[in-house]
Amino acid sequence: MIRIAVVGLGKIAHDQHLPTIQASSQFELVAVASPGAQSPGIPVFQNVEELLASGVAVDAVAMCQPPQLRFEAAASAIRAGKHVLLEKPPGATVKQVEVLTALATRGGTALFAAWHSRFAPAVERVRAWLATRRVQSIRIRWMEDVRVWHGGQQWIWDADGFGVFDPGINALSIITALLPDPIHIVDGTLEVPANRAAPIAAELHLRSAAGTPIEAVFDWRCAGAPVWDIEVITDAESLHLSQGGARLHIGGRECELESAGEYPQLYHRFSQLIAGRQIDADAAPLRLVAECFLRCGIKQVEPFHDAAG
Ligand code: NAP
């Protein structure tokens, strides 16, 4: 059994990490660390430093705190010889991911940038299907209501909180897994509310090295059901991946998909990396986001207010 601690007990830890670990035959939850955490039956710490100083025997740590807080915590854990899983995005900057990779390489520990959307049911099927076809264009629509999906999360509006790229980076993690060649940003527009430091919407024009145009719209002002869709036009049929990769239509016909679930697969992959002391820390989606902030124009839009202000 791999003894694991979860750091940052917020929405994703409660929704996915804790239930997945509980159901796993490979991992055993031995501690949690989070400022407001309560977890009967296991040691609870305020943060990763307290956890590491405690002497509780831990092999691995899952980092689920906001991305602004992840780098120092992950670096401390790696220096202490722990295997580390990084929730997405794996850092606030690409350089942070490179430094963590260097630390894990030197220390011989496993490091996993856990792009959960790459484990969505349709993604591997689509990747294999596209391998024998020519992609002509891609259209991404990633639209949701921020009040519903990120209510009360003030960190997400900070300068390095990613704004609408917090969900949008999931779409980028999928297309960077689907296409064999690198993707770059051509130009685009980021819409930033006058009272916030991060974008509420983005319109992006990207291109693959093969010249495939990729259009993306990310928008947090979408009331009603979320839209997490990717349409791929090929020289054969076109395909439509929806619900973040949970559903797939090819040529208008729905495909049956089987999946063990994103997070069970993600933890299985982490266990494999731990067994081999390996690193899987692809920063390609994060690099694209960083490029967007360099290449895109900023348009100030009306202030955004939620329950917190
Ligand atoms: P969240 O609900 O705001 O949770 C973050 C938690 O981090 C907070 O509950 C807070 O704990 C804790 N925290 C704050 N400072 C800390 C510190 N110094 N040490 C340890 N923990 C600390 O955010 P989230 O939605 O779970 O997102 C966290 C990360 O997961 C983000 O990078 C996000 O992109 C990613 N993610 C989220 C989802 C999702 O559906 N929400 C899905 C996939 C990935 P206390 O409550 O104890 O103060």
Side-chain angles (χ1 to χ4, degrees):
M1 280 296 236
I2 300 163
R3 297 164 298 186
I4 191 163
V6 174
V7 176
L9 279 201
K11 183 173 185 326
I12 197 61
H14 284 293
D15 287 358
Q16 297 290 346
H17 290 261
L18 297 180
T20 302
I21 293 167
Q22 197 170 18
S24 167
S25 58
Q26 295 168 300
F27 289 90
E28 178 193 4
L29 184 71
V30 294
V32 294
S34 197
Q38 291 180 347
S39 193
I42 56 168
V44 175
F45 303 96
Q46 290 285 301
N47 51 48
V48 79
E49 286 72 24
E50 276 189 13
L51 163 72
L52 296 173
S54 70
V56 170
V58 174
D59 306 306
V61 183
M63 297 291 176
C64 306
Q65 66 277 71
Q68 296 98 324
L69 303 170
R70 207 169 291 144
F71 173 68
E72 294 296 344
S76 301
I78 295 169
R79 285 194 200 98
K82 312 303 176 194
H83 307 296
V84 168
L85 179 156
L86 303 165
E87 247 303 349
K88 64 88 199 163
T93 67
V94 174
K95 185 50 85 180
Q96 288 183 352
V97 182
E98 290 172 357
V99 171
L100 295 179
T101 299
L103 285 173
T105 303
R106 194 181 308 157
T109 57
L111 179 67
F112 184 28
W115 298 109
H116 67 87
S117 290
R118 288 182 173 175
F119 294 87
V123 172
E124 182 48 34
R125 172 101 167 253
V126 172
R127 197 194 59 72
W129 191 84
L130 289 179
T132 55
R133 278 135 183 125
R134 208 176 72 76
V135 177
Q136 293 176 334
S137 64
I138 297 181
R139 185 162 165 253
I140 301 169
R141 289 186 310 146
W142 225 254
M143 298 151 75
E144 62 188 37
D145 185 345
V146 66
R147 291 185 174 90
V148 171
W149 293 92
H150 299 280
Q153 294 181 339
Q154 289 310 304
W155 58 265
I156 217 159
W157 291 108
D158 293 342
D160 48 6
F162 288 79
V164 77
F165 285 98
D166 180 81
I169 203 168
N170 291 332
L172 300 178
S173 77
I174 292 176
I175 59 161
T176 48
L178 293 183
L179 295 188
D181 43 22
I183 296 166
H184 65 278
I185 172 91
V186 178
D187 57 26
T189 306
L190 310 183
E191 294 187 41
V192 180
N195 60 341
R196 304 284 175 167
I200 195 166
E203 187 185 328
L204 309 172
H205 307 285
L206 307 115
R207 198 168 286 270
S208 77
T212 306
I214 302 163
E215 308 294 322
V217 174
F218 302 158
D219 203 326
W220 256 348
R221 300 163 299 194
C222 173
V227 176
W228 297 315
D229 286 7
I230 299 177
E231 278 180 76
V232 184
I233 311 298
T234 77
D235 55 351
E237 290 167 298
S238 298
L239 70 82
H240 185 188
L241 190 148
S242 56
Q243 295 180 9
R247 292 182 72 184
L248 173 65
H249 290 76
I250 298 182
R253 293 176 300 281
E254 179 146 24
C255 304
E256 269 189 42
L257 300 169
E258 282 179 18
S259 170
E262 290 182 17
Y263 278 78
Q265 289 182 83
L266 194 143
Y267 268 87
H268 179 62
R269 172 80 179 131
F270 188 35
S271 73
Q272 291 175 326
L273 295 173
I274 291 171
R277 302 289 189 272
Q278 290 168 314
I279 293 170
D280 176 354
D282 180 20
L286 182 59
R287 192 170 290 116
L288 272 180
V289 173
E291 267 194 49
C292 288
F293 280 93
L294 284 173
R295 297 283 302 166
C296 294
I298 305 280
K299 180 179 163 194
Q300 195 175 84
V301 295
E302 61 186 35
F304 173 82
H305 297 287
D306 57 14

